[in-house]
Amino acid sequence: MHTTVFERHSVSESLIDESLAGSKNASFWVDDVEIPSLSRYAGTTHCDLAVVGAGYTGLWTALLAKQRHPEWRVVVLEAKTPGWAASGRNGGFVESTLTHGESNGKSRYPKEYDLLDQAGLDNLDAIEKTVKEFGWDCDFSRSGSLAVALEDHEVEWLKESADGEREIFLDQAETLQRVNSPTYLAATFSPRDTAMVHPGKLAKEMLRSVRDSGVEVFSHSSFSSLNASTEKVTLGLAGGEIHAPRVALATNAFPSHLRRYRLHTVPVYDYVLMSEPLSAAQKKSVGWTGKEGIADLANQFHYYRITADDRILFGGYDAIYHYGGKIRRSYEERPESYRKLASHFFTTFPQLEGLRFSHRWAGVIDTCSRFSAFFATAHQSRVAYAAGFTGLGVAATRFAADVMLDQLDGERTWRTELEMVKSMPMPFPPEPLCYPAVQATRAALDAADHNYGKRGLFLKTLDAFGLGFDS
Ligand SMILES: Cc1cc2nc3c(=O)[nH]c(=O)nc-3n(C[C@H](O)[C@H](O)[C@H](O)COP(=O)(O)OP(=O)(O)OC[C@H]3O[C@@H](n4cnc5c(N)ncnc54)[C@H](O)[C@@H]3O)c2cc1C
């Protein structure tokens, strides 16, 4: 069996213990900013659009709705506080891809891939423009990304994928000039396709602009029932009711209120560490002045980036599905995942030995079997629903908001006519089948990572049916 670089160069248990000793189990991003507390919904309201969920999907939907229809009364209901879930816990990679990468997009939507690729770039450009226009203070920078090869066979993959323009091949010396890690054998640099952002500041600034545009946003207002007549939809909450001719459901990994889509996503826990700020000497030892987002290439991959105040976020690798698909606070504490991440961090950057982690946290990803968002309508298109971003939704949520608004406007647009929008992913099997199926897939992915990336029969069969598990 082939070993990974993290197994060949593992680090001492005491180094891991010390690095994690003072860390807090909370997302750094929402610890670093204060998102205003809003009132709880009470009473009866009639509005033009009700949005459920105040993560990026819900906030983009509200903001773009007011741009399309300034006269509309728009209400957003949030079960906890805006941005508390995935939108306040992610890596802050704002990626242009709408299809979870080029190869997934090309294999699933070969005829429209070029259109989806351009739409993703336009979407990222539109986000950048909005950040500037609204003056969002969210550390947005179009710094690009590096895909780094840690094994010889991955160097070959990079040579094949590099086109010299969107993806520029860097040999080992060129890679180390950018970021200094003894694990790097080569990289590709993608200058246009990725921006980096502070996810908590982004949520806070989006909320500010949403409210400035006249949208009413309520915290701690979880809706529990949805009833539709021919004219309107009624959302029932503990504090009252909302009547609207249009409803957008932006609830991500949380159970879908359209029951028939409950099995189209599974909640998968992804784990993250955030370091303390690097000293000037530590920074010099790493380089990384371009502040590119970095990801490695195995099935079980890491993503990492450096913040505006020179902390390193290091996340990924484990992707944990719990039997029954519940979302629970207790699942956010998983010492073995944090210890693995700390170990892999110091294998990547041994020169940072002694650096400590200030925060550790987990977040839930809405994994779907095709890895990119799906779109559904119900009740004569009065209700629109988008989910399934599978760990790449910071930018794609804006595109999804536009799709939902097209659908709720009753318009046929180039977006609503896309194969990606009209088709649905295969649902996951119900329990007791789902858990063993996910475990078997994870084991097969791990086996491929230990066999020079070669996919075994089980994975090839899933590939043939367009099924998969990712984060
Ligand atoms: C650890 C982690 C790292 C990630 N890294 C990246 C990355 O670097 N780049 C990237 O592109 N993507 C990343 N993602 C994915 C990205 O964060 C998500 O795709 C995106 O934030 C989804 O936004 P959302 O608004 O759909 O979901 P969420 O932010 O999860 O918001 C959904 C909201 O709906 C609310 N809600 C649910 N049910 C109800 C109800 N009944 N009533 C009222 N409100 C309700 C919830 O309270 C929640 O606030 C990551 C995700 C995680 C967890």
Side-chain angles (χ1 to χ4, degrees):
M1 188 180 73
H2 177 71
T3 53
T4 68
V5 68
F6 304 105
E7 291 156 349
R8 294 195 295 277
H9 300 283
S10 60
V11 307
S12 74
E13 293 297 312
S14 62
L15 175 60
I16 297 171
D17 288 341
E18 280 161 28
S19 70
L20 289 168
S23 67
K24 178 176 172 184
N25 187 211
S27 164
F28 166 79
W29 304 122
V30 286
D31 214 20
D32 194 41
V33 295
E34 206 175 316
I35 296 187
S37 75
L38 307 170
S39 56
R40 201 179 283 264
Y41 180 80
T44 302
T45 302
H46 294 262
C47 62
D48 299 288
L49 170 67
V51 179
V52 180
Y56 299 145
T57 306
L59 293 172
W60 277 121
T61 306
L63 193 63
L64 295 176
K66 284 299 272 186
Q67 287 175 0
R68 289 185 187 206
H69 306 285
E71 72 289 359
W72 274 10
R73 184 175 184 188
V74 179
V75 173
V76 178
L77 297 173
E78 166 50 50
K80 291 196 176 177
T81 50
W84 77 275
S87 298
R89 297 170 189 234
N90 61 76
F93 287 58
V94 197
E95 304 244 359
S96 68
T97 179
L98 301 174
T99 58
H100 214 270
E102 184 180 341
S103 66
N104 189 49
K106 276 190 170 157
S107 69
R108 290 178 192 279
Y109 319 107
K111 288 198 195 119
E112 67 186 27
Y113 180 73
D114 288 347
L115 179 58
L116 289 169
D117 182 42
Q118 188 56 49
L121 281 170
D122 293 346
N123 183 55
L124 179 54
D125 288 345
I127 293 172
E128 184 170 17
K129 192 161 162 255
T130 310
V131 168
K132 285 191 188 130
E133 264 175 24
F134 285 89
W136 288 350
D137 170 17
C138 60
D139 303 340
F140 184 97
S141 88
R142 197 95 180 235
S143 38
S145 61
L146 292 168
V148 291
L150 312 183
E151 307 288 344
D152 288 332
H153 63 272
E154 295 172 354
V155 178
E156 297 311 310
W157 292 349
L158 289 182
K159 282 183 181 159
E160 279 165 28
S161 69
D163 63 2
E165 196 191 328
R166 291 277 289 279
E167 272 186 68
I168 300 157
F169 183 79
L170 307 177
D171 65 19
Q172 188 172 35
E174 290 166 327
T175 306
L176 298 185
Q177 258 175 12
R178 285 178 181 265
V179 185
N180 184 19
S181 165
T183 62
Y184 297 167
L185 302 179
T188 50
F189 175 52
S190 302
R192 282 177 68 198
D193 294 358
T194 309
M196 303 306 297
V197 77
H198 182 311
K201 288 186 182 175
L202 177 63
K204 181 181 175 178
E205 291 290 65
M206 285 178 78
L207 176 64
R208 173 173 68 81
S209 294
V210 162
R211 297 180 74 208
D212 285 352
S213 70
V215 173
E216 298 149 75
V217 187
F218 297 93
S219 292
H220 303 291
S221 302
S222 177
F223 96 98
S224 47
S225 68
L226 184 156
N227 291 300
S229 70
T230 46
E231 281 117 52
K232 64 175 188 205
V233 180
T234 302
L235 300 179
L237 296 84
E241 280 185 347
I242 294 189
H243 305 282
R246 304 163 199 90
V247 170
L249 298 175
T251 52
N252 196 36
F254 297 88
S256 176
H257 286 266
L258 301 177
R259 292 194 78 85
R260 60 184 170 281
Y261 301 113
R262 285 258 164 110
L263 294 172
H264 283 70
T265 60
V266 287
V268 171
Y269 279 80
D270 190 30
Y271 297 85
V272 183
L273 296 176
M274 181 69 95
S275 81
E276 291 175 338
L278 269 57
S279 66
Q282 286 168 329
K283 256 184 83 177
K284 201 163 167 228
S285 74
V286 176
W288 211 348
T289 50
K291 300 210 163 178
E292 305 90 342
I294 300 180
D296 48 36
L297 297 172
N299 289 304
Q300 297 170 102
F301 65 96
H302 307 87
Y303 54 91
Y304 40 114
R305 50 86 52 99
I306 189 158
T307 63
D309 63 345
D310 296 323
R311 297 165 181 269
I312 296 178
L313 174 145
F314 198 79
Y317 203 82
D318 277 348
I320 304 296
Y321 169 75
H322 293 273
Y323 185 90
K326 297 276 185 297
I327 295 176
R328 294 203 173 117
R329 172 76 179 126
S330 59
Y331 293 159
E332 294 173 27
E333 193 54 284
R334 193 166 193 272
E336 61 267 50
S337 291
Y338 296 122
R339 294 184 70 80
K340 204 182 287 170
L341 278 177
S343 169
H344 294 184
F345 177 89
F346 288 112
T347 297
T348 308
F349 297 121
Q351 67 271 45
L352 297 181
E353 188 172 327
L355 186 70
R356 289 167 178 269
F357 298 104
S358 61
H359 293 75
R360 61 181 198 282
W361 71 90
V364 187
I365 280 170
D366 55 337
T367 292
C368 77
S369 62
R370 71 178 195 188
F371 316 145
S372 57
F374 62 86
F375 305 87
T377 58
H379 306 296
Q380 292 86 45
S381 298
R382 294 196 177 286
V383 178
Y385 172 55
F389 298 97
T390 317
L392 266 186
V394 174
T397 47
R398 183 188 174 281
F399 177 81
D402 258 332
V403 173
M404 286 200 287
L405 290 171
D406 288 351
Q407 291 169 329
L408 293 171
D409 278 338
E411 278 177 24
R412 278 173 70 156
T413 65
W414 66 270
R415 281 180 290 255
T416 61
E417 296 313 294
L418 289 167
E419 181 60 26
M420 188 182 89
V421 171
K422 290 198 286 192
S423 62
M424 293 298 279
M426 285 274 283
F428 290 90
E431 298 293 8
L433 299 176
C434 189
Y435 183 79
V438 170
Q439 296 310 99
T441 311
R442 285 191 60 220
L445 292 168
D446 185 59
D449 287 343
H450 287 87
N451 188 26
Y452 307 97
K454 289 184 193 132
R455 297 169 84 79
L457 186 62
F458 182 64
L459 289 181
K460 283 183 181 160
T461 309
L462 290 182
D463 292 345
F465 285 97
L467 295 171
F469 177 80
D470 207 334
S471 62

